[in-house]
Amino acid sequence: MNTNAQRIPVQPRWQFWIDRGGTFTDIVARRPDGTLATHKLLSENAGQYEDAALAGIRDLLGVSRHSIIPAERIAAVKMGTTIATNALLERKGEPLALFITRGFRDALRIGYQNRPRIFDRHIVLPEMLYTAVHEIDERIGARGEVLTLLDLAQARREIEAAYAQGLRACAIVLMHGYRYPRHELQLAELARAAGFTQVSVSHEVSPLMKLVSRGDTTVADAYLSPVLRRYVERITRELPGVNVMFMQSSGGLTDARRFQGKDSVLSGPAGGVVGMVRTAQGAGFDRIIGFDMGGTSTDVSHFAGEYERAFDTLVAGVRMRAPMMSIHTVAAGGGSILHFDGVRMRVGPDSAGAQPGPACYGRGGPLTVTDCNVLLGRIQPDYFPAMFGASGTAQLEREAARKKFLALSENITKNKYLQSIEDMAEGYLRIAVDNMANAIKKISVARGYDVTRYTLACFGGAAGQHACRVADALAMPRVYIHPYAGVLSAYGMGLADITAMREQAVEAPLTDALLPRIEATLQSLADAARAEVMAQHVTIEDIVISRRVHLKYAGTDTTLMVGFGSVDEMTRAFESAYLARYSFLMPGRGLVVEAVAVEAASRERNDTRYAAPSLAQAKEETQAVASVKMYSDGHYRDTPLHRAENLQPGHRIPGPAIITDANATTVIEPQWQAEVTAQGHLLLTRTTARQTLAAIGTTVDPVMLEIFNNLFMAIAEQMGVTLANTAYSVNIKERLDFSCALFNAEGELIANAPHMPVHLGSMGESVRSVIRDNAGRMRAGDVYMLNDPYRGGTHLPDITVITPVFDTAGAKQLFYVGSRGHHADIGGITPGSMPPDSRHIDEEGVLITNFLLVEQGR
């Protein structure tokens, strides 16, 4: 490897930064003179073009959509794509064979036996990605001992049988292969010799322990990589000689030829996070909540100094162990479909997509969130790109949305809350906003972050329409919107670094004696990651190496990532992060190093890619280009509409107002104002204090019913997530044999997460028995425990913990929260606490009734 590789000089040619999303494809182009141009197309538009990204490049270069692209005019294409994500969702990947250690053919099908939708009466398991399973005679033990020698002749027969089936992709997953890869390497050699064109090997794809998640990741890589390779070849064939790069799920770019299936499932959203962080940092914000609302879904993310990455994720029913941007997705995009079930109004989770799209697209689609905004005047068709209808050149149709709302209104019982179709649309918007605010709570409040100290960074085509309302729902003080917010995921492609990540399992107690081994492993990983980045024309001086250690408490498997340092430094960093996340520590319990990770990233010296220049202050107030009608708080208001390109630093726009450009619409709500910063960015702030909600009354309001339903459910679900993360019992963490619920002051069930039905049916009686037994004695900070079947308990191993929640003065119980979990052994005449021949409850184990577990917080 040449460590003195020459930097490739920047040529005066075009660059294209592209986000190929589920509904829209966004393009930001850097012209040869350094100025930027933007373009937006529907990702699927049959008859108009074959591929949206290539069509957009042709449009911006000014050539016809059927002519050859003049590749000599293009320096680079940096792209994020949903190709792999869609293939995973639709199960349209490459047919493949799984080769696995004999005796484990069904290990990936069995998985962890957790039940994410336990109330479903008809359980539909996710389809396995592999077409055939072939067991291999081999076995290496946990310490590297060869228990069964690899039978090469038998392995060759299995490989040839799979090849004869017509399969050309395979995944090789052997027991303990992540640490002892000898047999996997031999199998891979046999598979390539037999003619397999895609060979994914677990110790290369996911070198971490846990057969199931390692196996799933390897299978997903084999399933998706051929699909990606075909798409990459299609793009590069039309762009010969162009430097084509793709965004990885981890937030870094890589050469198109190195783009793998396992690294592609969050390709587009990762570009949005990079764009959000880089632009917000350039504007002076360091604590950021990302709010990316597109046509299909809303992605939310958290940043407080460094990118947050998840290493264990579930995507379309497939477990993945690969570094990905930590992004929480909720099905509440502009295309989320509106429903009424006879009692409640609901938004999503299904989406109208790009075809047929919302009703206002003029293609016969259903009512969606976008239709609410069009009906209420929050989106003005005359100032929105004309790219709809059968021709792809028509404007949005407000009348189509109005007709569908009139039809829906006949099914919704009229009451004092819903006097008009505008009230209905407002109600649906409030529900959508509440769904998005709850999603943000899951990545902030539920993890110990004070969201009121953060800035809400809004991007995506639809985020600006709801920015002020989402901020109000979270009591966030400000909203930041970049001039390219409508195409920020594409803009982020241009701001991202070339990166390479490596990780390796360690699984050893954290001690001073372990440090040399960790350091040697990190150095080896750093060398490999640095070499990969340098191979993409980056000089060694421009590469920054980050070293991280995954730590967990002994006996648990929830890891937190800290920077590599001394034992004391890493312990302090872990305890600080753990306390912020879970609000308690386990003093005396040792720490275990599960894995180590390294990231090599290119950093341009004197990097000015996202340092926004200061612009001249405006000398005059901005003038609206039109006055339009916008419905808000029960009536239409005359609302000024401004063009974004007319705004200059220093301009202040009080709400209500609408700011529109070619890629996005921003709504300034009443009691908010927008200010244009020195860099030309929008900063939205509240001008008056938020008002508390008035009394709701007793009339059933289908809007508030859904909002409070979602709020209470979110609380119960967050309780369950915290319980699973902090537990070290297999029953709790993997079998999910627990339940969490919220009760009112009388002990009546208000909301329960989708946990164990048998737990929840009787937990209310347990709460009421605690209330009866402790009348007049409860104090703030008290926690009670019981398992008594005569007081709402189930069988004795199910132990219930009940916590009264008081008002701020500590004088009145407002409500109760309860958690019930199955313990492995509670005593009794046999191990396991459930003897089949017991005749009296004492023989089944310890009976706990009204036990004061915590007193005033101690």
Side-chain angles (χ1 to χ4, degrees):
M1 181 60 64
N2 178 13
T3 58
N4 296 309
Q6 294 296 310
R7 182 193 299 274
I8 294 178
V10 176
Q11 299 294 325
R13 293 183 288 167
W14 287 75
Q15 282 197 32
F16 292 96
W17 309 333
I18 304 171
D19 172 34
R20 189 186 187 284
T23 304
F24 290 103
T25 290
D26 298 336
I27 302 176
V28 176
R30 183 171 181 171
R31 300 186 183 95
D33 63 3
T35 58
L36 299 181
T38 64
H39 193 36
K40 187 183 284 277
L41 300 93
L42 288 169
S43 293
E44 303 290 341
N45 202 343
Q48 299 294 318
Y49 40 78
E50 188 178 350
D51 182 83
L54 295 173
I57 290 174
R58 288 185 170 96
D59 290 349
L60 287 163
L61 289 176
V63 300
S64 76
R65 287 183 172 173
H66 301 291
S67 60
I68 295 173
I69 295 175
E72 68 280 359
R73 295 173 58 189
I74 304 173
V77 173
K78 302 176 181 180
M79 187 171 177
T81 176
T82 57
I83 290 289
T85 314
N86 293 341
L88 200 59
L89 288 168
E90 298 168 10
R91 295 299 194 258
K92 292 182 179 178
E94 186 79 0
L96 71 117
L98 168 64
F99 298 113
I100 196 165
T101 304
R102 182 167 297 284
F104 293 89
R105 68 176 297 119
D106 295 320
L108 304 190
R109 161 58 71 192
I110 295 169
Y112 295 120
Q113 297 188 68
N114 53 351
R115 296 143 293 187
R117 294 174 59 86
I118 198 163
F119 290 138
D120 285 2
R121 288 179 294 177
H122 178 54
I123 305 297
V124 180
L125 293 174
E127 292 178 51
M128 289 292 97
L129 301 183
Y130 50 80
T131 302
V133 187
H134 295 265
E135 294 182 289
I136 303 299
D137 290 336
E138 72 82 38
R139 182 72 182 269
I140 294 180
R143 295 175 179 82
E145 67 278 19
V146 179
L147 303 176
T148 302
L149 198 65
L150 174 62
D151 187 335
L152 289 173
Q154 184 264 346
R156 188 177 288 108
R157 288 194 300 272
E158 296 294 335
I159 289 171
E160 289 172 352
Y163 190 85
Q165 287 180 266
L167 302 177
R168 297 296 180 267
C170 69
I172 297 172
V173 184
L174 302 181
M175 280 295 288
H176 306 298
Y178 72 99
R179 182 170 284 182
Y180 308 107
R182 284 173 292 171
H183 290 176
E184 288 196 347
L185 287 167
Q186 290 175 278
L187 270 183
E189 188 177 338
L190 289 175
R192 292 188 181 101
F196 280 88
T197 54
Q198 174 64 41
V199 180
S200 295
V201 191
S202 81
H203 74 271
E204 296 173 352
V205 173
S206 180
L208 301 171
M209 68 182 301
K210 290 191 175 180
L211 176 74
V212 172
S213 50
R214 172 167 54 95
D216 273 355
T217 307
T218 308
V219 167
D221 187 69
Y223 187 72
L224 298 175
S225 290
V227 176
L228 275 181
R229 189 161 56 242
R230 286 192 288 271
Y231 184 70
V232 167
E233 288 171 354
R234 178 172 153 197
I235 296 295
T236 53
R237 187 166 56 247
E238 299 227 27
L239 300 168
V242 175
N243 180 22
V244 180
M245 310 191 80
F246 280 86
M247 174 62 72
Q248 302 172 95
S249 301
S250 60
L253 293 166
T254 191
D255 184 272
R257 292 162 296 182
R258 299 173 181 269
F259 195 35
Q260 288 182 261
K262 75 178 180 73
D263 296 323
S264 63
V265 293
L266 291 183
S267 175
V273 175
V274 172
M276 176 267 293
V277 168
R278 292 283 169 85
T279 54
Q281 281 185 317
F285 303 112
D286 56 356
R287 293 173 181 266
I288 313 156
I289 297 293
F291 171 46
D292 174 11
M293 185 178 179
T296 307
S297 62
T298 293
D299 296 326
V300 296
S301 53
H302 170 268
F303 181 86
E306 63 180 28
Y307 291 119
E308 289 192 347
R309 293 189 174 97
F311 287 81
D312 285 276
T313 52
L314 186 72
V315 182
V318 178
R319 289 166 289 263
M320 302 279 282
R321 293 201 90 187
M324 301 184 188
M325 284 289 189
S326 185
I327 299 170
H328 181 66
T329 301
V330 59
S336 292
I337 298 174
L338 312 182
H339 299 278
F340 179 66
D341 63 8
V343 179
R344 286 166 27 209
M345 296 161 64
R346 290 185 295 108
V347 176
D350 46 343
S351 172
Q355 294 283 358
C360 60
Y361 280 18
R363 295 175 182 150
L367 277 178
T368 67
V369 171
T370 296
D371 293 301
C372 295
N373 284 308
V374 170
L375 180 78
L376 299 174
R378 299 164 67 85
I379 293 176
Q380 292 290 323
D382 291 343
Y383 298 90
F384 205 83
M387 52 193 300
F388 307 100
S391 65
T393 58
Q395 288 185 327
L396 292 170
E397 296 182 13
R398 184 178 185 275
E399 184 61 21
R402 192 184 74 84
K403 287 179 179 177
K404 292 228 169 183
F405 269 111
L406 286 171
L408 179 64
S409 68
E410 296 175 3
N411 298 324
I412 297 182
T413 304
K414 289 295 183 79
N415 57 41
K416 70 175 183 178
Y417 296 100
L418 300 173
Q419 296 294 326
S420 65
I421 59 172
E422 286 83 1
D423 289 333
M424 283 173 49
E426 276 266 73
Y428 277 117
L429 275 190
R430 292 176 67 186
I431 292 167
V433 165
D434 186 66
N435 290 342
M436 293 182 282
N438 284 333
I440 291 174
K441 289 175 186 176
K442 288 184 178 180
I443 56 112
S444 56
V445 178
R447 295 168 58 194
Y449 302 123
D450 180 2
V451 75
T452 62
R453 299 171 61 193
Y454 283 72
T455 298
L456 186 66
C458 291
F459 57 105
Q465 298 156 26
H466 311 90
C468 297
R469 292 189 173 195
V470 170
D472 270 343
L474 296 162
M476 296 184 72
R478 72 189 71 85
V479 175
Y480 164 74
I481 301 179
H482 188 269
Y484 292 121
V487 291
L488 201 67
S489 290
Y491 190 56
M493 306 298 167
L495 304 183
D497 300 316
I498 299 171
T499 67
M501 300 188 76
R502 294 289 187 276
E503 52 194 355
Q504 184 67 50
V506 176
E507 282 299 323
L510 178 64
T511 62
D512 287 321
L514 184 67
L515 289 184
R517 176 184 160 194
I518 295 177
E519 200 155 8
T521 304
L522 286 169
Q523 186 59 49
S524 173
L525 297 176
D527 291 343
R530 186 185 292 111
E532 181 176 326
V533 174
M534 289 175 61
Q536 300 177 63
H537 308 293
V538 179
T539 61
I540 193 169
E541 295 84 2
D542 292 341
I543 297 175
V544 176
I545 301 292
S546 301
R547 295 171 170 84
R548 297 285 185 268
V549 178
H550 296 256
L551 291 178
K552 62 185 179 183
Y553 276 123
T556 73
D557 64 357
T558 299
T559 63
L560 294 175
M561 193 163 58
V562 301
F564 176 64
S566 68
V567 171
D568 287 343
E569 289 170 340
M570 290 190 287
T571 300
R572 284 197 298 271
F574 174 84
E575 290 181 343
S576 174
Y578 199 92
L579 190 63
R581 179 78 60 91
Y582 303 119
S583 301
F584 71 95
L585 296 175
M586 301 185 196
R589 186 178 291 274
L591 296 180
V592 171
V593 179
E594 181 182 89
V596 294
V598 161
E599 179 183 10
S602 64
R603 299 286 162 84
E604 295 186 23
R605 285 167 288 186
N606 305 316
D607 197 339
T608 58
R609 288 174 297 171
Y610 53 92
S614 292
L615 305 173
Q617 289 282 311
K619 296 179 181 178
E620 299 176 352
E621 281 300 311
T622 181
Q623 298 297 315
V625 297
S627 178
V628 298
K629 296 287 187 182
M630 184 175 80
Y631 192 87
S632 179
D633 296 330
H635 59 276
Y636 279 101
R637 301 167 185 259
D638 291 324
T639 304
L641 185 143
H642 298 264
R643 284 283 197 186
E645 57 266 29
N646 296 341
L647 302 182
Q648 297 177 37
H651 281 157
R652 282 187 172 85
I653 302 172
I658 298 173
I659 300 173
T660 183
D661 63 28
N663 300 307
T665 297
T666 301
V667 176
I668 316 301
E669 300 285 352
Q671 302 176 353
W672 282 76
Q673 75 166 11
E675 178 183 357
V676 184
T677 69
Q679 291 80 29
H681 306 163
L682 280 181
L683 187 63
L684 279 52
T685 52
R686 234 187 185 283
T687 55
T688 59
R690 293 170 65 245
Q691 299 296 314
T692 57
L693 287 172
I696 294 172
T698 56
T699 305
V700 176
D701 177 357
V703 176
M704 296 308 297
L705 191 63
E706 178 66 2
I707 287 175
F708 276 96
N709 174 69
N710 290 340
L711 179 63
F712 294 143
M713 281 294 292
I715 293 170
E717 288 174 355
Q718 288 170 30
M719 290 170 63
V721 170
T722 302
L723 179 59
N725 283 341
T726 55
Y728 51 93
S729 158
V730 173
N731 280 338
I732 303 297
K733 185 169 289 293
E734 293 191 2
R735 290 187 59 243
L736 303 184
D737 196 345
F738 66 85
S739 298
C740 298
L742 182 69
F743 301 85
N744 67 10
E746 287 73 43
E748 297 168 324
L749 180 66
I750 297 298
N752 59 266
H755 297 151
M756 299 290 288
V758 67
H759 291 174
L760 297 160
S762 63
M763 203 191 297
E765 181 55 38
S766 295
V767 175
R768 289 188 288 274
S769 73
V770 166
I771 295 172
R772 287 194 303 270
D773 293 344
N774 300 281
R777 293 203 306 268
M778 283 189 194
R779 291 171 293 183
D782 288 354
V783 181
Y784 299 88
M785 179 173 71
L786 76 161
N787 69 347
D788 190 342
Y790 304 105
R791 293 170 181 257
T794 49
H795 62 177
L796 296 189
D798 285 339
I799 295 180
T800 308
V801 173
I802 295 164
T803 306
V805 179
F806 286 74
D807 59 15
T808 52
K812 180 183 178 183
Q813 293 105 316
L814 299 179
F815 57 91
Y816 296 82
V817 291
S819 303
R820 178 172 286 176
H822 182 105
H823 287 249
D825 204 325
I826 201 79
I829 59 177
T830 63
S833 312
M834 290 181 285
D837 55 348
S838 58
R839 291 165 295 174
H840 191 274
I841 196 166
D842 292 342
E843 296 174 335
E844 294 198 343
V846 176
L847 189 68
I848 304 169
T849 301
N850 194 36
F851 183 86
L852 186 60
L853 183 66
V854 178
E855 184 174 11
Q856 292 184 282
R858 297 181 61 186

